Amino acid sequence: ERGQALLTVADLSGPWQLEIAVPEDRIGHVLAAQDSIGPNLEVLYLLPAAPTGEYAGQVRRVASATSPPAATGEQESIVTVEADIDADDLYNRRPGAAARAKIRCGRRPLGIVWFGDAWNSLRARLWF
């Protein structure tokens, strides 16, 4: 079909990176953590192809613009965060493999962690 990728070129011996799609409404936490903790936040990720444990990396770059939902296939706009990872940690090196990642943004009060989404939703409905 038109637009379908036919070929992927990758240097498996070079440095590896993890691309994390962060929803636009969550990127503020990452940017605030970079201001308070430092730009190289810790990233923890799991690989479905190697369910032996959790691996670590570091944030290298946060994109300066969002990608619209139509361009990414997601439900909402996303911001791409790139993280450097150690290729030796990877069990089966495959470019484009899926991973589940979380960016360590520091400690927050439990109420914000549990009820932050509900509060933001309520605030958006009442404010606008």
PDB file of all heavy atoms in Angstrom, residues 18-54:
ATOM      1  N   LEU A  18      15.853   4.666  22.699  1.00  0.00           N
ATOM      2  CA  LEU A  18      14.459   4.326  22.940  1.00  0.00           C
ATOM      3  C   LEU A  18      13.640   5.573  22.653  1.00  0.00           C
ATOM      4  O   LEU A  18      13.961   6.652  23.152  1.00  0.00           O
ATOM      5  CB  LEU A  18      14.296   3.897  24.404  1.00  0.00           C
ATOM      6  CG  LEU A  18      12.960   3.376  24.871  1.00  0.00           C
ATOM      7  CD1 LEU A  18      12.645   2.060  24.174  1.00  0.00           C
ATOM      8  CD2 LEU A  18      12.996   3.162  26.371  1.00  0.00           C
ATOM      9  N   GLU A  19      12.619   5.464  21.819  1.00  0.00           N
ATOM     10  CA  GLU A  19      11.727   6.586  21.533  1.00  0.00           C
ATOM     11  C   GLU A  19      10.440   6.367  22.314  1.00  0.00           C
ATOM     12  O   GLU A  19       9.753   5.371  22.114  1.00  0.00           O
ATOM     13  CB  GLU A  19      11.442   6.685  20.042  1.00  0.00           C
ATOM     14  CG  GLU A  19      12.639   7.109  19.237  1.00  0.00           C
ATOM     15  CD  GLU A  19      12.343   7.256  17.761  1.00  0.00           C
ATOM     16  OE1 GLU A  19      11.191   7.008  17.339  1.00  0.00           O
ATOM     17  OE2 GLU A  19      13.264   7.624  17.024  1.00  0.00           O
ATOM     18  N   ILE A  20      10.140   7.313  23.188  1.00  0.00           N
ATOM     19  CA  ILE A  20       8.976   7.203  24.067  1.00  0.00           C
ATOM     20  C   ILE A  20       7.946   8.222  23.621  1.00  0.00           C
ATOM     21  O   ILE A  20       8.241   9.413  23.517  1.00  0.00           O
ATOM     22  CB  ILE A  20       9.384   7.462  25.529  1.00  0.00           C
ATOM     23  CG1 ILE A  20      10.539   6.552  25.925  1.00  0.00           C
ATOM     24  CG2 ILE A  20       8.195   7.290  26.460  1.00  0.00           C
ATOM     25  CD1 ILE A  20      11.245   6.977  27.183  1.00  0.00           C
ATOM     26  N   ALA A  21       6.729   7.768  23.367  1.00  0.00           N
ATOM     27  CA  ALA A  21       5.626   8.646  22.983  1.00  0.00           C
ATOM     28  C   ALA A  21       4.890   9.068  24.256  1.00  0.00           C
ATOM     29  O   ALA A  21       4.152   8.288  24.845  1.00  0.00           O
ATOM     30  CB  ALA A  21       4.678   7.929  22.027  1.00  0.00           C
ATOM     31  N   VAL A  22       5.108  10.301  24.682  1.00  0.00           N
ATOM     32  CA  VAL A  22       4.494  10.819  25.903  1.00  0.00           C
ATOM     33  C   VAL A  22       3.277  11.662  25.516  1.00  0.00           C
ATOM     34  O   VAL A  22       3.413  12.582  24.703  1.00  0.00           O
ATOM     35  CB  VAL A  22       5.502  11.684  26.706  1.00  0.00           C
ATOM     36  CG1 VAL A  22       4.860  12.241  27.953  1.00  0.00           C
ATOM     37  CG2 VAL A  22       6.728  10.864  27.059  1.00  0.00           C
ATOM     38  N   PRO A  23       2.089  11.362  26.061  1.00  0.00           N
ATOM     39  CA  PRO A  23       0.926  12.194  25.761  1.00  0.00           C
ATOM     40  C   PRO A  23       1.183  13.654  26.132  1.00  0.00           C
ATOM     41  O   PRO A  23       1.876  13.946  27.115  1.00  0.00           O
ATOM     42  CB  PRO A  23      -0.182  11.592  26.635  1.00  0.00           C
ATOM     43  CG  PRO A  23       0.260  10.200  26.896  1.00  0.00           C
ATOM     44  CD  PRO A  23       1.761  10.246  26.938  1.00  0.00           C
ATOM     45  N   GLU A  24       0.631  14.546  25.339  1.00  0.00           N
ATOM     46  CA  GLU A  24       0.890  15.972  25.524  1.00  0.00           C
ATOM     47  C   GLU A  24       0.501  16.457  26.919  1.00  0.00           C
ATOM     48  O   GLU A  24       1.168  17.310  27.496  1.00  0.00           O
ATOM     49  CB  GLU A  24       0.130  16.766  24.460  1.00  0.00           C
ATOM     50  CG  GLU A  24       0.413  18.236  24.484  1.00  0.00           C
ATOM     51  CD  GLU A  24      -0.341  18.981  23.401  1.00  0.00           C
ATOM     52  OE1 GLU A  24      -1.325  18.446  22.858  1.00  0.00           O
ATOM     53  OE2 GLU A  24       0.066  20.108  23.112  1.00  0.00           O
ATOM     54  N   ASP A  25      -0.557  15.895  27.491  1.00  0.00           N
ATOM     55  CA  ASP A  25      -0.983  16.345  28.815  1.00  0.00           C
ATOM     56  C   ASP A  25      -0.085  15.828  29.944  1.00  0.00           C
ATOM     57  O   ASP A  25      -0.235  16.226  31.085  1.00  0.00           O
ATOM     58  CB  ASP A  25      -2.440  15.968  29.082  1.00  0.00           C
ATOM     59  CG  ASP A  25      -2.688  14.473  29.103  1.00  0.00           C
ATOM     60  OD1 ASP A  25      -1.820  13.697  28.656  1.00  0.00           O
ATOM     61  OD2 ASP A  25      -3.773  14.064  29.563  1.00  0.00           O
ATOM     62  N   ARG A  26       0.875  14.963  29.633  1.00  0.00           N
ATOM     63  CA  ARG A  26       1.806  14.431  30.640  1.00  0.00           C
ATOM     64  C   ARG A  26       3.214  15.011  30.529  1.00  0.00           C
ATOM     65  O   ARG A  26       4.027  14.819  31.416  1.00  0.00           O
ATOM     66  CB  ARG A  26       1.920  12.919  30.511  1.00  0.00           C
ATOM     67  CG  ARG A  26       0.639  12.182  30.625  1.00  0.00           C
ATOM     68  CD  ARG A  26       0.483  11.728  31.996  1.00  0.00           C
ATOM     69  NE  ARG A  26      -0.698  10.885  32.087  1.00  0.00           N
ATOM     70  CZ  ARG A  26      -1.252  10.589  33.206  1.00  0.00           C
ATOM     71  NH1 ARG A  26      -0.747  11.054  34.327  1.00  0.00           N
ATOM     72  NH2 ARG A  26      -2.314   9.839  33.240  1.00  0.00           N
ATOM     73  N   ILE A  27       3.517  15.686  29.436  1.00  0.00           N
ATOM     74  CA  ILE A  27       4.888  16.146  29.210  1.00  0.00           C
ATOM     75  C   ILE A  27       5.292  17.234  30.204  1.00  0.00           C
ATOM     76  O   ILE A  27       6.478  17.406  30.480  1.00  0.00           O
ATOM     77  CB  ILE A  27       5.090  16.606  27.750  1.00  0.00           C
ATOM     78  CG1 ILE A  27       6.585  16.625  27.393  1.00  0.00           C
ATOM     79  CG2 ILE A  27       4.444  17.942  27.494  1.00  0.00           C
ATOM     80  CD1 ILE A  27       7.231  15.292  27.378  1.00  0.00           C
ATOM     81  N   GLY A  28       4.348  17.933  30.779  1.00  0.00           N
ATOM     82  CA  GLY A  28       4.660  18.958  31.772  1.00  0.00           C
ATOM     83  C   GLY A  28       5.387  18.389  32.974  1.00  0.00           C
ATOM     84  O   GLY A  28       6.282  19.036  33.536  1.00  0.00           O
ATOM     85  N   HIS A  29       5.037  17.159  33.371  1.00  0.00           N
ATOM     86  CA  HIS A  29       5.719  16.509  34.492  1.00  0.00           C
ATOM     87  C   HIS A  29       7.187  16.254  34.155  1.00  0.00           C
ATOM     88  O   HIS A  29       8.070  16.429  34.997  1.00  0.00           O
ATOM     89  CB  HIS A  29       5.036  15.187  34.844  1.00  0.00           C
ATOM     90  CG  HIS A  29       3.609  15.332  35.260  1.00  0.00           C
ATOM     91  ND1 HIS A  29       3.240  15.924  36.444  1.00  0.00           N
ATOM     92  CD2 HIS A  29       2.464  14.964  34.651  1.00  0.00           C
ATOM     93  CE1 HIS A  29       1.929  15.918  36.546  1.00  0.00           C
ATOM     94  NE2 HIS A  29       1.431  15.341  35.463  1.00  0.00           N
ATOM     95  N   VAL A  30       7.442  15.835  32.928  1.00  0.00           N
ATOM     96  CA  VAL A  30       8.814  15.559  32.498  1.00  0.00           C
ATOM     97  C   VAL A  30       9.627  16.846  32.463  1.00  0.00           C
ATOM     98  O   VAL A  30      10.759  16.896  32.965  1.00  0.00           O
ATOM     99  CB  VAL A  30       8.821  14.862  31.116  1.00  0.00           C
ATOM    100  CG1 VAL A  30      10.239  14.670  30.608  1.00  0.00           C
ATOM    101  CG2 VAL A  30       8.098  13.531  31.181  1.00  0.00           C
ATOM    102  N   LEU A  31       9.063  17.906  31.891  1.00  0.00           N
ATOM    103  CA  LEU A  31       9.785  19.178  31.796  1.00  0.00           C
ATOM    104  C   LEU A  31      10.052  19.779  33.176  1.00  0.00           C
ATOM    105  O   LEU A  31      11.136  20.315  33.428  1.00  0.00           O
ATOM    106  CB  LEU A  31       9.009  20.156  30.920  1.00  0.00           C
ATOM    107  CG  LEU A  31       8.827  19.718  29.455  1.00  0.00           C
ATOM    108  CD1 LEU A  31       7.926  20.695  28.715  1.00  0.00           C
ATOM    109  CD2 LEU A  31      10.151  19.540  28.770  1.00  0.00           C
ATOM    110  N   ALA A  32       9.085  19.676  34.086  1.00  0.00           N
ATOM    111  CA  ALA A  32       9.283  20.174  35.449  1.00  0.00           C
ATOM    112  C   ALA A  32      10.374  19.384  36.166  1.00  0.00           C
ATOM    113  O   ALA A  32      11.200  19.948  36.889  1.00  0.00           O
ATOM    114  CB  ALA A  32       7.975  20.116  36.233  1.00  0.00           C
ATOM    115  N   ALA A  33      10.396  18.065  35.951  1.00  0.00           N
ATOM    116  CA  ALA A  33      11.431  17.236  36.574  1.00  0.00           C
ATOM    117  C   ALA A  33      12.804  17.569  36.006  1.00  0.00           C
ATOM    118  O   ALA A  33      13.795  17.571  36.742  1.00  0.00           O
ATOM    119  CB  ALA A  33      11.112  15.758  36.364  1.00  0.00           C
ATOM    120  N   GLN A  34      12.884  17.877  34.725  1.00  0.00           N
ATOM    121  CA  GLN A  34      14.171  18.259  34.148  1.00  0.00           C
ATOM    122  C   GLN A  34      14.673  19.565  34.747  1.00  0.00           C
ATOM    123  O   GLN A  34      15.868  19.732  34.944  1.00  0.00           O
ATOM    124  CB  GLN A  34      14.066  18.391  32.625  1.00  0.00           C
ATOM    125  CG  GLN A  34      14.055  17.063  31.923  1.00  0.00           C
ATOM    126  CD  GLN A  34      14.093  17.230  30.417  1.00  0.00           C
ATOM    127  OE1 GLN A  34      13.400  18.060  29.842  1.00  0.00           O
ATOM    128  NE2 GLN A  34      14.917  16.413  29.773  1.00  0.00           N
ATOM    129  N   ASP A  35      13.758  20.481  35.052  1.00  0.00           N
ATOM    130  CA  ASP A  35      14.154  21.742  35.682  1.00  0.00           C
ATOM    131  C   ASP A  35      14.662  21.529  37.105  1.00  0.00           C
ATOM    132  O   ASP A  35      15.618  22.158  37.532  1.00  0.00           O
ATOM    133  CB  ASP A  35      12.997  22.734  35.696  1.00  0.00           C
ATOM    134  CG  ASP A  35      12.717  23.320  34.319  1.00  0.00           C
ATOM    135  OD1 ASP A  35      13.610  23.241  33.449  1.00  0.00           O
ATOM    136  OD2 ASP A  35      11.614  23.857  34.128  1.00  0.00           O
ATOM    137  N   SER A  36      14.001  20.636  37.849  1.00  0.00           N
ATOM    138  CA  SER A  36      14.359  20.459  39.256  1.00  0.00           C
ATOM    139  C   SER A  36      15.458  19.407  39.479  1.00  0.00           C
ATOM    140  O   SER A  36      16.317  19.583  40.331  1.00  0.00           O
ATOM    141  CB  SER A  36      13.127  20.109  40.086  1.00  0.00           C
ATOM    142  OG  SER A  36      12.593  18.869  39.669  1.00  0.00           O
ATOM    143  N   ILE A  37      15.431  18.312  38.734  1.00  0.00           N
ATOM    144  CA  ILE A  37      16.384  17.218  38.950  1.00  0.00           C
ATOM    145  C   ILE A  37      17.592  17.334  38.021  1.00  0.00           C
ATOM    146  O   ILE A  37      18.723  17.126  38.426  1.00  0.00           O
ATOM    147  CB  ILE A  37      15.697  15.846  38.752  1.00  0.00           C
ATOM    148  CG1 ILE A  37      14.569  15.670  39.758  1.00  0.00           C
ATOM    149  CG2 ILE A  37      16.699  14.713  38.854  1.00  0.00           C
ATOM    150  CD1 ILE A  37      13.716  14.449  39.519  1.00  0.00           C
ATOM    151  N   GLY A  38      17.335  17.632  36.768  1.00  0.00           N
ATOM    152  CA  GLY A  38      18.390  17.707  35.755  1.00  0.00           C
ATOM    153  C   GLY A  38      17.872  17.166  34.439  1.00  0.00           C
ATOM    154  O   GLY A  38      16.854  16.480  34.392  1.00  0.00           O
ATOM    155  N   PRO A  39      18.563  17.461  33.346  1.00  0.00           N
ATOM    156  CA  PRO A  39      18.052  17.074  32.030  1.00  0.00           C
ATOM    157  C   PRO A  39      18.104  15.578  31.743  1.00  0.00           C
ATOM    158  O   PRO A  39      17.317  15.081  30.959  1.00  0.00           O
ATOM    159  CB  PRO A  39      18.962  17.837  31.064  1.00  0.00           C
ATOM    160  CG  PRO A  39      20.211  18.072  31.821  1.00  0.00           C
ATOM    161  CD  PRO A  39      19.810  18.210  33.265  1.00  0.00           C
ATOM    162  N   ASN A  40      19.005  14.847  32.379  1.00  0.00           N
ATOM    163  CA  ASN A  40      19.171  13.421  32.084  1.00  0.00           C
ATOM    164  C   ASN A  40      18.391  12.565  33.074  1.00  0.00           C
ATOM    165  O   ASN A  40      18.970  11.876  33.917  1.00  0.00           O
ATOM    166  CB  ASN A  40      20.650  13.045  32.095  1.00  0.00           C
ATOM    167  CG  ASN A  40      21.418  13.792  31.035  1.00  0.00           C
ATOM    168  OD1 ASN A  40      20.881  14.114  29.992  1.00  0.00           O
ATOM    169  ND2 ASN A  40      22.670  14.079  31.308  1.00  0.00           N
ATOM    170  N   LEU A  41      17.079  12.577  32.946  1.00  0.00           N
ATOM    171  CA  LEU A  41      16.223  11.787  33.838  1.00  0.00           C
ATOM    172  C   LEU A  41      16.401  10.298  33.556  1.00  0.00           C
ATOM    173  O   LEU A  41      16.688   9.887  32.436  1.00  0.00           O
ATOM    174  CB  LEU A  41      14.759  12.171  33.632  1.00  0.00           C
ATOM    175  CG  LEU A  41      14.386  13.613  33.923  1.00  0.00           C
ATOM    176  CD1 LEU A  41      12.939  13.873  33.529  1.00  0.00           C
ATOM    177  CD2 LEU A  41      14.604  13.948  35.379  1.00  0.00           C
ATOM    178  N   GLU A  42      16.193   9.494  34.588  1.00  0.00           N
ATOM    179  CA  GLU A  42      16.289   8.040  34.444  1.00  0.00           C
ATOM    180  C   GLU A  42      15.028   7.505  33.772  1.00  0.00           C
ATOM    181  O   GLU A  42      13.914   7.941  34.059  1.00  0.00           O
ATOM    182  CB  GLU A  42      16.465   7.387  35.810  1.00  0.00           C
ATOM    183  CG  GLU A  42      16.623   5.888  35.724  1.00  0.00           C
ATOM    184  CD  GLU A  42      16.749   5.228  37.086  1.00  0.00           C
ATOM    185  OE1 GLU A  42      16.381   5.853  38.092  1.00  0.00           O
ATOM    186  OE2 GLU A  42      17.212   4.093  37.132  1.00  0.00           O
ATOM    187  N   VAL A  43      15.229   6.564  32.876  1.00  0.00           N
ATOM    188  CA  VAL A  43      14.132   5.893  32.181  1.00  0.00           C
ATOM    189  C   VAL A  43      14.224   4.416  32.508  1.00  0.00           C
ATOM    190  O   VAL A  43      15.300   3.809  32.402  1.00  0.00           O
ATOM    191  CB  VAL A  43      14.232   6.095  30.654  1.00  0.00           C
ATOM    192  CG1 VAL A  43      13.183   5.285  29.930  1.00  0.00           C
ATOM    193  CG2 VAL A  43      14.127   7.556  30.294  1.00  0.00           C
ATOM    194  N   LEU A  44      13.113   3.825  32.917  1.00  0.00           N
ATOM    195  CA  LEU A  44      13.039   2.384  33.147  1.00  0.00           C
ATOM    196  C   LEU A  44      12.129   1.796  32.082  1.00  0.00           C
ATOM    197  O   LEU A  44      11.069   2.357  31.791  1.00  0.00           O
ATOM    198  CB  LEU A  44      12.489   2.091  34.536  1.00  0.00           C
ATOM    199  CG  LEU A  44      13.297   2.666  35.700  1.00  0.00           C
ATOM    200  CD1 LEU A  44      12.586   2.413  37.014  1.00  0.00           C
ATOM    201  CD2 LEU A  44      14.697   2.083  35.728  1.00  0.00           C
ATOM    202  N   TYR A  45      12.529   0.669  31.488  1.00  0.00           N
ATOM    203  CA  TYR A  45      11.708   0.102  30.421  1.00  0.00           C
ATOM    204  C   TYR A  45      11.714  -1.425  30.474  1.00  0.00           C
ATOM    205  O   TYR A  45      12.636  -2.051  30.990  1.00  0.00           O
ATOM    206  CB  TYR A  45      12.162   0.603  29.045  1.00  0.00           C
ATOM    207  CG  TYR A  45      13.550   0.193  28.639  1.00  0.00           C
ATOM    208  CD1 TYR A  45      13.754  -0.894  27.798  1.00  0.00           C
ATOM    209  CD2 TYR A  45      14.671   0.890  29.076  1.00  0.00           C
ATOM    210  CE1 TYR A  45      15.028  -1.272  27.410  1.00  0.00           C
ATOM    211  CE2 TYR A  45      15.947   0.523  28.691  1.00  0.00           C
ATOM    212  CZ  TYR A  45      16.116  -0.564  27.862  1.00  0.00           C
ATOM    213  OH  TYR A  45      17.381  -0.937  27.489  1.00  0.00           O
ATOM    214  N   LEU A  46      10.633  -1.986  29.941  1.00  0.00           N
ATOM    215  CA  LEU A  46      10.456  -3.432  29.836  1.00  0.00           C
ATOM    216  C   LEU A  46      10.330  -3.796  28.371  1.00  0.00           C
ATOM    217  O   LEU A  46       9.713  -3.066  27.590  1.00  0.00           O
ATOM    218  CB  LEU A  46       9.176  -3.877  30.549  1.00  0.00           C
ATOM    219  CG  LEU A  46       9.100  -3.678  32.048  1.00  0.00           C
ATOM    220  CD1 LEU A  46       7.688  -3.974  32.533  1.00  0.00           C
ATOM    221  CD2 LEU A  46      10.087  -4.586  32.744  1.00  0.00           C
ATOM    222  N   LEU A  47      10.883  -4.928  27.999  1.00  0.00           N
ATOM    223  CA  LEU A  47      10.781  -5.423  26.636  1.00  0.00           C
ATOM    224  C   LEU A  47       9.935  -6.686  26.628  1.00  0.00           C
ATOM    225  O   LEU A  47      10.274  -7.656  27.313  1.00  0.00           O
ATOM    226  CB  LEU A  47      12.170  -5.742  26.075  1.00  0.00           C
ATOM    227  CG  LEU A  47      13.139  -4.568  25.990  1.00  0.00           C
ATOM    228  CD1 LEU A  47      14.538  -5.057  25.668  1.00  0.00           C
ATOM    229  CD2 LEU A  47      12.660  -3.586  24.946  1.00  0.00           C
ATOM    230  N   PRO A  48       8.838  -6.725  25.867  1.00  0.00           N
ATOM    231  CA  PRO A  48       8.028  -7.948  25.798  1.00  0.00           C
ATOM    232  C   PRO A  48       8.814  -9.144  25.268  1.00  0.00           C
ATOM    233  O   PRO A  48       8.558 -10.274  25.644  1.00  0.00           O
ATOM    234  CB  PRO A  48       6.897  -7.577  24.846  1.00  0.00           C
ATOM    235  CG  PRO A  48       6.829  -6.095  24.879  1.00  0.00           C
ATOM    236  CD  PRO A  48       8.228  -5.624  25.134  1.00  0.00           C
ATOM    237  N   ALA A  49       9.790  -8.893  24.400  1.00  0.00           N
ATOM    238  CA  ALA A  49      10.587  -9.991  23.837  1.00  0.00           C
ATOM    239  C   ALA A  49      11.580 -10.567  24.848  1.00  0.00           C
ATOM    240  O   ALA A  49      12.090 -11.659  24.660  1.00  0.00           O
ATOM    241  CB  ALA A  49      11.339  -9.502  22.606  1.00  0.00           C
ATOM    242  N   ALA A  50      11.862  -9.830  25.924  1.00  0.00           N
ATOM    243  CA  ALA A  50      12.804 -10.289  26.949  1.00  0.00           C
ATOM    244  C   ALA A  50      12.227  -9.965  28.331  1.00  0.00           C
ATOM    245  O   ALA A  50      12.629  -9.000  28.963  1.00  0.00           O
ATOM    246  CB  ALA A  50      14.155  -9.621  26.766  1.00  0.00           C
ATOM    247  N   PRO A  51      11.275 -10.756  28.795  1.00  0.00           N
ATOM    248  CA  PRO A  51      10.604 -10.450  30.065  1.00  0.00           C
ATOM    249  C   PRO A  51      11.411 -10.833  31.294  1.00  0.00           C
ATOM    250  O   PRO A  51      10.870 -11.229  32.308  1.00  0.00           O
ATOM    251  CB  PRO A  51       9.326 -11.277  29.969  1.00  0.00           C
ATOM    252  CG  PRO A  51       9.700 -12.448  29.134  1.00  0.00           C
ATOM    253  CD  PRO A  51      10.719 -11.932  28.142  1.00  0.00           C
ATOM    254  N   THR A  52      12.721 -10.708  31.220  1.00  0.00           N
ATOM    255  CA  THR A  52      13.566 -11.115  32.338  1.00  0.00           C
ATOM    256  C   THR A  52      13.758 -10.025  33.371  1.00  0.00           C
ATOM    257  O   THR A  52      14.278 -10.287  34.445  1.00  0.00           O
ATOM    258  CB  THR A  52      14.946 -11.561  31.834  1.00  0.00           C
ATOM    259  OG1 THR A  52      15.526 -10.482  31.080  1.00  0.00           O
ATOM    260  CG2 THR A  52      14.838 -12.786  30.947  1.00  0.00           C
ATOM    261  N   GLY A  53      13.386  -8.804  33.072  1.00  0.00           N
ATOM    262  CA  GLY A  53      13.570  -7.742  34.054  1.00  0.00           C
ATOM    263  C   GLY A  53      13.400  -6.369  33.460  1.00  0.00           C
ATOM    264  O   GLY A  53      13.004  -6.200  32.315  1.00  0.00           O
ATOM    265  N   GLU A  54      13.741  -5.408  34.264  1.00  0.00           N
ATOM    266  CA  GLU A  54      13.603  -4.013  33.899  1.00  0.00           C
ATOM    267  C   GLU A  54      14.988  -3.463  33.557  1.00  0.00           C
ATOM    268  O   GLU A  54      15.967  -3.788  34.217  1.00  0.00           O
ATOM    269  CB  GLU A  54      13.014  -3.273  35.103  1.00  0.00           C
ATOM    270  CG  GLU A  54      12.450  -1.926  34.819  1.00  0.00           C
ATOM    271  CD  GLU A  54      11.689  -1.400  36.025  1.00  0.00           C
ATOM    272  OE1 GLU A  54      12.296  -1.282  37.098  1.00  0.00           O
ATOM    273  OE2 GLU A  54      10.513  -1.107  35.875  1.00  0.00           O
TER     274      GLU A  54
END
